[in-house]
Amino acid sequence: MDKKFDPTDDKKIEEQLIHKVHQLENRDYRSLYVNVGIIGILGGIIISPILIGILIGGWLDKNYPIDPISWQLNLIFIGFIIGMYYAYVWIKKEGVQKIDDAYRKEQERIKNIK
């Protein structure tokens, strides 16, 4: 039950291995700097309205105190909601999709140079 050596089998295996190597080389990975940049932008978008709420709420608590209501806590919550909304809008319009598209175009340009 010995199989005879068939050189076409080796050729098929070699083509499959070369194909797998090319797939691994062409994977799209965003660099660490791009990911950190995205996190920084989203953090800034979310934190800014919260900080504004802290500042305005503290000022309102000092100048116009209402006994059962804390202006600062309410404005922190409102700032958080606004920040999350703007982060969602940024991701949908500008964010990750445009960065991924630009990265893919850059990778294609690099492949064409080689």
Side-chain angles (χ1 to χ4, degrees):
M1 298 217 164
D2 281 330
K3 283 183 143 182
K4 290 192 176 187
F5 176 71
D6 186 9
T8 58
D9 287 342
D10 284 346
K11 187 69 174 165
K12 288 177 187 175
I13 292 172
E14 182 181 352
E15 288 173 0
Q16 288 175 348
L17 288 173
I18 289 172
H19 180 70
K20 289 292 182 184
V21 167
H22 285 297
Q23 280 182 337
L24 289 173
E25 286 176 350
N26 294 330
R27 277 192 195 170
D28 283 338
Y29 285 116
R30 288 191 310 240
S31 69
L32 176 65
Y33 300 116
V34 172
N35 289 332
V36 170
I38 291 170
I39 292 169
I41 289 169
L42 289 175
I45 289 172
I46 295 169
I47 293 296
S48 298
I50 294 173
L51 292 176
I52 291 169
I54 290 171
L55 294 173
I56 294 173
W59 182 80
L60 286 173
D61 278 339
K62 285 181 185 176
N63 295 321
Y64 301 103
I66 299 175
D67 197 21
I69 297 174
S70 171
W71 287 106
Q72 197 167 23
L73 288 176
N74 287 316
L75 290 179
I76 288 171
F77 179 70
I78 292 170
F80 176 75
I81 298 297
I82 291 170
M84 293 303 284
Y85 171 75
Y86 281 121
Y88 173 77
V89 168
W90 183 83
I91 288 171
K92 284 295 186 188
K93 283 186 179 178
E94 301 290 328
V96 177
Q97 187 63 39
K98 276 191 175 179
I99 290 170
D100 283 343
D101 290 343
Y103 180 75
R104 285 191 188 99
K105 285 179 185 177
E106 183 67 20
Q107 292 300 317
E108 288 297 320
R109 188 183 68 76
I110 291 170
K111 285 179 195 174
N112 292 335
I113 291 173
K114 292 179 182 178

